Amino acid sequence: MQLSFGPEVEAFRAEFAAFLDANLPEAPEERSKSSADVPEWARRWQRLLFDNGWLLPANPPEFGGRNASVLQQYVHLEELSKRRIYHSFNPQGVGIIAASLLSFGTEEQKHRWAVPILRAELTASLGMSEPGAGSDLAGLRTRAVREGDEYVVDGQKVWTSGAHDADVLLTFVRTDPTAPKHKGISVLLIPTDTPGVTRRPFPSICAPDDLDFNEVYFEGVRVPAANRIGPENGGWTVANGSLGHERNLLWLSHADRLADLVRDFTPHTGHDRDAYATSVMDLHALKLLGSAALARAARGEPDVAALSVLKVMGSEAVQAGTEQALSSMGADGLIHPALSAPPGAHTIGHFASGWFERYTRTFAHTIAGGTSEIQRTIIAQRVLGLPRS
């Protein structure tokens, strides 16, 4: 399969490719593996992208973009992927939190908070999941009580990536405990230096040295009402918009991981040719279905159910393929050295790892951006027409 684009899109790609070739920073050899720990050179890189309209090209120029079309956004990500680079070391802050502020915030909030996040002057983290309310946002219990021009927040978040290095938290709270679960939620932007905010980082089993996850506690935290994003009790709409920013082209990241898997598995195909062939077929199928969804989006026909299919298929294909690669090599898979990047890759923000670490990390991919279970529910209802019960 070969995708082709019109001259306007290809001219956009060529301009961005030339910019990258002329401006790629030289990353130091020793750099942190934590996406939340943002070195100064990475901040300069993100700021350069913002100032030239290449950070989030769909945005208007004043917010780091150039009003790009869906297809132009796709080739922008393709060029980044070819060079194995990230546009930001704070992907949640840029792709979800700043995007949510631009969609639902006031003009003052956009310039006070969104622009500094996009320009890497502030780092932001997303406070959604709670103990007992991981994938079920409607079950959250962190409470915010209005007192004059402030909210007083009490509760706990968990799995909050990068919170220990974040300047602000986009926090989902319950402001009306008497309302139906979906209708009593609001969104507050809470600076992490506010009295009563406590952040406790903890490791994951797949990367014990990478303290990216956090527990976050709120004890009598006073937040100005001016920091509320969207209307009071209108947080469910903000949540759907926030996650929508994350999901639109999420399938492309899974296609990249599958392509990496196929490339790195190639020298070991003698171990299990069937597993290798399955990953190759999954990669082509994902790109074909993703391209069809992309074409519909370019025509103004967004398909939420198709994105759910792509999310489940992509994340689980990466997990299954990595498991097969690890299993087929037996004990060698446990001691395999760090896998190298392809020739010519710049690898800013990408950290090659052995097969076992890669496999353990795949479980995060079936959770982040919407769990496979939740995606299957969406597919059942919106594609198959099955009843909720």
Side-chain angles (χ1 to χ4, degrees):
M1 179 184 64
Q2 180 65 48
L3 291 177
S4 60
F5 300 96
E8 183 179 354
V9 175
E10 290 300 344
F12 183 91
R13 181 203 297 275
E15 184 181 357
F16 183 45
F19 171 85
L20 291 176
D21 292 341
N23 291 284
L24 281 179
E26 288 297 328
E29 291 186 7
E30 295 296 325
R31 54 194 190 267
S32 169
K33 290 189 178 184
S34 171
S35 62
D37 185 12
V38 185
E40 185 54 37
W41 69 265
R43 291 182 186 272
R44 290 195 299 269
W45 167 242
Q46 182 175 320
R47 199 168 299 132
L48 181 68
L49 290 170
F50 177 94
D51 291 342
N52 287 273
W54 292 119
L55 182 64
L56 293 175
N59 287 358
E62 63 267 31
F63 297 120
R66 46 184 64 202
N67 296 312
S69 69
V70 171
L71 296 181
Q72 288 171 331
Q73 294 171 58
Y74 176 86
V75 299
H76 172 266
L77 292 176
E78 266 199 332
E79 292 303 313
L80 290 172
S81 175
K82 285 179 185 177
R83 293 163 176 79
R84 295 294 188 273
I85 59 175
Y86 290 154
H87 62 312
S88 169
F89 268 67
N90 183 208
Q92 275 194 345
V94 169
I96 299 178
I97 297 164
S100 298
L101 288 166
L102 295 181
S103 295
F104 300 100
T106 64
E107 288 302 312
E108 192 273 339
Q109 289 170 339
K110 292 175 186 179
H111 289 90
R112 181 184 176 188
W113 301 108
V115 170
I117 292 170
L118 292 170
R119 298 195 78 249
E121 295 161 0
L122 291 176
T123 304
S125 181
L126 183 65
M128 274 191 173
S129 297
E130 297 185 3
S135 297
D136 179 21
L137 177 65
L140 70 82
R141 292 181 291 181
T142 295
R143 188 166 178 179
V145 178
R146 182 73 178 259
E147 293 187 1
D149 292 333
E150 294 180 319
Y151 289 96
V152 180
V153 181
D154 290 277
Q156 179 187 357
K157 299 294 180 180
V158 73
W159 310 113
T160 314
S161 297
H164 61 299
D165 283 322
D167 298 301
V168 292
L169 301 172
L170 188 72
T171 311
F172 288 75
V173 296
R174 187 162 300 284
T175 42
D176 186 352
T178 66
K181 291 197 304 181
H182 295 74
K183 296 183 179 180
I185 297 172
S186 300
V187 185
L188 300 176
L189 198 66
I190 304 179
T192 55
D193 60 1
T194 306
V197 177
T198 302
R199 297 164 286 168
R200 296 179 182 171
F202 61 89
S204 67
I205 193 171
C206 62
D209 297 328
D210 185 1
L211 299 179
D212 188 50
F213 288 136
N214 285 257
E215 295 175 299
V216 183
Y217 297 89
F218 304 94
E219 298 176 280
V221 176
R222 291 190 169 273
V223 183
N227 285 25
R228 190 187 66 233
I229 310 305
E232 186 168 278
N233 301 321
W236 191 254
T237 299
V238 178
N240 286 328
S242 299
L243 295 178
H245 292 303
E246 182 182 25
R247 290 172 181 160
N248 284 334
L249 287 171
L250 185 60
W251 66 270
L252 184 57
S253 67
H254 296 308
D256 286 343
R257 292 187 182 99
L258 268 176
D260 288 345
L261 172 64
V262 168
R263 184 198 71 234
D264 293 332
F265 198 8
T266 298
H268 310 285
T269 52
H271 290 279
D272 192 337
R273 290 181 179 275
D274 285 343
Y276 174 76
T278 297
S279 292
V280 172
M281 289 186 290
D282 284 344
L283 172 60
H284 285 286
L286 182 63
K287 291 178 68 177
L288 179 62
L289 292 172
S291 299
L294 181 69
R296 288 193 294 273
R299 295 194 298 269
E301 304 167 6
D303 189 340
V304 174
L307 297 179
S308 292
V309 172
L310 290 165
K311 170 63 171 63
V312 172
M313 178 184 176
S315 61
E316 295 193 354
V318 172
Q319 186 174 91
T322 309
E323 180 181 20
Q324 286 296 324
L326 175 63
S327 176
S328 67
M329 285 182 282
D332 289 343
L334 297 177
I335 61 174
H336 196 283
L339 302 169
S340 61
H346 199 78
T347 67
I348 296 177
H350 285 255
F351 300 95
S353 54
W355 287 108
F356 181 72
E357 183 179 338
R358 282 172 67 160
Y359 172 59
T360 58
R361 287 184 180 276
T362 64
F363 289 91
H365 304 324
T366 60
I367 298 172
T371 66
S372 291
E373 291 79 6
I374 295 297
Q375 302 307 319
R376 284 188 167 88
T377 298
I378 295 172
I379 294 166
Q381 293 172 3
R382 299 194 184 186
V383 179
L384 303 178
L386 299 177
R388 285 182 176 270
S389 59

